[in-house]
Amino acid sequence: MPLEIVLGTQWGDEGKGRVVDLLAARADLVCRFNGGDNAGHTVTVGAAIFKLHLIPSGIIHPHTRAVLGCGMVINPLTLQSEAESLQQAGVDVSPSRLRISHAAHLITPAHLAIDRAQEQARRGDAIGTTGRGIGPAYTDKTARRGLRAGDILHPQEFRFALLEHLRSASLTLQKLYDLPALDVDALAEPYLEAAALLQPCITDTGLLLHQALAEGRTVLAEAAQGALLDLDHGTYPYVTSSTTTAAGALAGLGLGIRPVERVLGVSKAFQTRVGAGPFPTELAGAAADRLRGDGSQPWDEYGTTTGRPRRVGWLDGVLLRYTRRICGLTGIILTKLDVLSGLPEIPICTAYRHGGQVLADLPLGLMDLDGMEPVYEAQPGWQADISTARVWEDLPAAAQAYIRRVEQVCGVPVLHVSVGPERDQMVMVPA
Ligand code: IMP
């Protein structure tokens, strides 16, 4: 009864969508367990590019069923439009295929307004959130006043609770942030309509998954964001508001630890970040432009959800070791190796210099990351285009050596590397 967890080892956008797409080919259930529509997972299948924010990317495989777990925060309006665009592309998103946990929390238009108001109030200290209401929805969850998907099943009470919530948020916006009142009725009606459409999908997904695992089915848990954005273990306060690490999959799906078979970390062959926060190996100028791309290609480094240019830098081996530790990684999938082709040499950060000392590990987690100076080791680059490589032997010796060095630096085997956005642009790495 295997449970496989796939997570991002960095600050998100590692290419989890395409890895999940690969693994979902042999999974029965594909699940999201954290976050909401702040995530953006891109999957390219031939001429079709799917950009998914809430629904697990594995739904694109017709044999799967998709689960939105209790650890998520769900905006019914976004879910409705995402389901519609998938249906138009020929993907079945009927209630038999899309199951939503009764205990998942709901994001409302008021959460979006508060998210934006809070960011504005932070001024120079803004976190750079996606503005999707994620933080305020999780705040209401922990304050034990949130609305949950299961509440939709009681329409009268749900309407009443929603109106109360919108009125209270409206007062907060006026009194605390000096902003105009919300038009509560205008916001409530379309929201209630979208929420009502979810009714047939709402169930105890923990029970569903438990039974599926007991029957020997394969469950794939797809994390959103990345481990370094984790609320507890990330670069706090420049983090998201959910548990993005492997442990989040268990709490966010309602499962125990025993079914876990593999924890796969998806890591870009370099490092990117959107939003504010420390980034020791960050590059500027021409070197950054080279890694980021100019935005003309869908795989260039611009946010899937916000379109913002991503900050870019060299692969950080210290942070990869940290993620290995906090997530118990069993393997790594290294993405976007093709982007490094043509560079004369490729630096990898293997340690930090701090206060006259060289540190292989961080003394206080990610707390003092800002003060860390990267110690680089330069690996020889390769000049050939590797996008047509399909087996290990197709890769130039320098690319093979780079992959082996990444394995040594982080202490986890690299299982696959991606050499382009297409489904088949993957190379299996021999043990
Ligand atoms: P929030 O999740 O919208 O509250 O944003 C908090 C931080 O997480 C910001 O720095 C965002 O840019 C970042 N973030 C949230 N979702 C993603 C994602 O899917 N990929 C990369 N960064 C993300």
Side-chain angles (χ1 to χ4, degrees):
M1 44 177 222
L3 169 65
E4 287 193 332
I5 302 170
V6 178
L7 58 92
T9 63
Q10 297 160 325
W11 286 290
D13 309 313
E14 296 90 352
K16 293 179 293 292
R18 61 98 39 90
V19 171
V20 168
D21 179 58
L22 177 85
L23 297 170
R26 55 182 178 73
D28 299 297
L29 288 123
V30 290
C31 316
R32 278 272 312 268
F33 61 81
N34 76 300
D37 59 341
N38 49 347
H41 294 166
T42 309
V43 184
T44 311
V45 186
I49 296 178
F50 296 95
K51 293 201 173 201
L52 300 169
H53 299 284
L54 273 170
I55 300 178
S57 340
I59 197 158
I60 291 162
H61 289 272
H63 69 277
T64 57
R65 278 192 296 162
V67 167
L68 306 189
C70 63
M72 288 189 74
V73 283
I74 298 169
N75 184 336
L77 292 159
T78 320
L79 186 52
Q80 184 194 358
S81 66
E82 189 165 308
E84 277 170 11
S85 57
L86 279 173
Q87 296 273 24
Q88 277 160 17
V91 179
D92 173 15
V93 196
S94 56
S96 63
R97 286 201 75 205
L98 181 67
R99 312 302 289 150
I100 300 173
S101 167
H102 65 288
H105 277 251
L106 297 177
I107 296 181
T108 70
H111 290 136
L112 271 72
I114 289 179
D115 195 355
R116 282 193 285 266
Q118 285 175 341
E119 279 287 86
Q120 262 169 17
R122 285 184 192 116
R123 296 172 194 273
D125 295 328
I127 288 164
T129 72
T130 58
R132 300 297 172 111
I134 307 297
Y138 279 115
T139 303
D140 279 354
K141 171 178 174 172
T142 43
R144 293 162 293 179
R145 57 172 183 238
L147 298 168
R148 304 202 293 173
D151 298 334
I152 298 171
L153 301 175
H154 307 288
Q156 292 306 329
E157 292 90 334
F158 182 59
R159 169 181 284 272
F160 183 78
L162 176 73
L163 291 174
E164 278 291 301
H165 155 81
L166 292 175
R167 285 189 197 113
S168 149
S170 183
L171 277 179
T172 304
L173 288 164
Q174 291 170 80
K175 295 212 180 304
L176 214 57
Y177 298 102
D178 208 14
L179 287 167
L182 294 176
D183 186 343
V184 170
D185 292 327
L187 291 174
E189 289 319 313
Y191 188 84
L192 288 167
E193 270 172 40
L197 291 176
L198 303 185
Q199 264 202 29
C201 303
I202 296 165
T203 188
D204 181 349
T205 52
L207 180 62
L208 173 89
L209 290 169
H210 175 78
Q211 285 169 343
L213 286 164
E215 287 164 11
R217 300 196 191 282
T218 300
V219 175
L220 187 63
E222 169 187 347
Q225 293 84 43
L228 305 178
L229 285 173
D230 183 81
L231 181 58
D232 293 295
H233 303 287
T235 45
Y236 191 89
Y238 299 101
V239 292
T240 191
S241 300
S242 68
T243 302
T244 60
T245 50
L250 305 177
L253 293 177
L255 291 172
I257 200 167
R258 289 184 62 192
V260 180
E261 191 178 75
R262 297 203 292 176
V263 182
L264 301 176
V266 184
S267 181
K268 238 176 238 179
F270 49 99
Q271 204 89 8
T272 65
R273 173 162 209 169
V274 279
F279 186 166
T281 61
E282 184 169 13
L283 291 167
D289 294 341
R290 166 67 182 74
L291 290 181
R292 183 183 298 117
D294 61 8
S296 59
Q297 303 297 338
W299 54 86
D300 286 344
E301 296 296 346
Y302 292 79
T304 315
T305 301
T306 58
R308 291 179 287 182
R310 294 179 187 141
R311 300 160 65 194
V312 294
W314 299 121
L315 185 69
D316 191 324
V318 182
L319 293 182
L320 200 49
R321 282 199 295 272
Y322 175 78
T323 298
R324 178 197 72 184
R325 171 159 64 85
I326 59 171
C327 294
L329 298 181
T330 60
I332 282 185
I333 289 132
L334 201 62
T335 58
K336 290 200 147 185
L337 192 67
D338 53 304
V339 173
L340 301 182
S341 299
L343 291 169
E345 56 179 33
I346 307 166
I348 304 180
C349 166
T350 53
Y352 293 139
R353 198 168 283 113
H354 184 70
Q357 279 184 306
V358 173
L359 305 170
D361 287 302
L362 290 150
L364 285 178
L366 304 187
M367 201 160 169
D368 297 324
L369 202 53
D370 248 339
M372 299 291 164
E373 185 197 331
V375 176
Y376 289 113
E377 176 187 293
Q379 291 295 305
W382 58 92
Q383 303 312 307
D385 171 15
I386 58 169
S387 62
T388 54
R390 294 293 176 272
V391 291
W392 178 248
E393 291 72 25
D394 292 341
L395 291 173
Q400 294 179 349
Y402 178 78
I403 296 163
R404 292 302 184 208
R405 189 61 193 136
V406 172
E407 288 182 323
Q408 285 165 356
V409 168
C410 71
V412 186
V414 174
L415 307 178
H416 286 90
V417 293
S418 84
V419 292
E422 288 291 337
R423 256 185 183 165
D424 67 339
Q425 289 181 297
M426 274 281 187
V427 174
M428 209 173 113
V429 177

